[in-house]
Structure formats: structure tokens, C-alpha cells
Amino acid sequence: EYGIGAVALFRLSPFLSNDTISFVAGMVKMRFWRFLVGTLAGIAPLAIALAVFSESPDQLKSTLIWIGVGGIALYGVYIWLDRRVVKKEDSE
């Protein structure tokens, strides 16, 4: 249900394992195009941050940390809102 977002989150966060999400996606038989979209969505912001902040390693490090933490927070809010809407629909 949250496959594309999970792949994007793992690709986006510098402290989560990219190998792990690849193995998990394979084990649950995630479709290739969904995996590819999630991978691109997670890697694009990192590539942009590397291009913009590559001259200052300290600024790059803090930017990558903020991107990772922000990604985890946004994904958590998305799941919370999604479950809240589903619970509301079930009660009606």
C-alpha cells in the first residue's frame, strides 16, 4: 500500500539502507515501474542537493540530514492522515 513512498523514503534518507529496501521490494514482488518511480523520487532531491551544496561539505552534511529527517516526518504525516481518512470512512 505504501510501497512507492517507502522506496522513496529509503532512497532519500542518508541513514537508511538502500540495499534493504531493494531486497524487501523484491521479496514482496513490487512492480518494477513502481520501484523505479519511488527510486527516482527519492534520488532526485539528493542529486540536486549534491549539485547545489557540493562546495561546502559541512553544509551538504547538514542539508542531507534535514532532507532525511524531513522525508521521514512527511511520510509519517502522510500515513497518519491516510489511516485517519480510512478510519473515518469505515465509521460512516
Side-chain angles (χ1 to χ4, degrees), residues 13-83:
S13 299
F15 39 83
L16 297 176
S17 173
N18 286 324
D19 292 337
T20 301
I21 197 64
S22 298
F23 288 128
V24 171
M27 288 190 309
V28 298
K29 298 184 174 140
M30 184 177 194
R31 294 183 180 245
F32 173 73
W33 290 107
R34 289 179 174 261
F35 181 76
L36 185 64
V37 167
T39 296
L40 292 175
I43 288 178
L46 292 179
I48 292 168
L50 284 171
V52 172
F53 300 109
S54 62
E55 291 183 8
S56 173
D58 292 331
Q59 191 174 10
L60 177 63
K61 181 180 175 183
S62 65
T63 300
L64 292 177
I65 290 170
W66 279 108
I67 288 173
V69 170
I72 290 171
L74 287 173
Y75 192 61
V77 168
Y78 168 73
I79 291 174
W80 179 74
L81 288 173
D82 185 56
R83 290 187 179 195

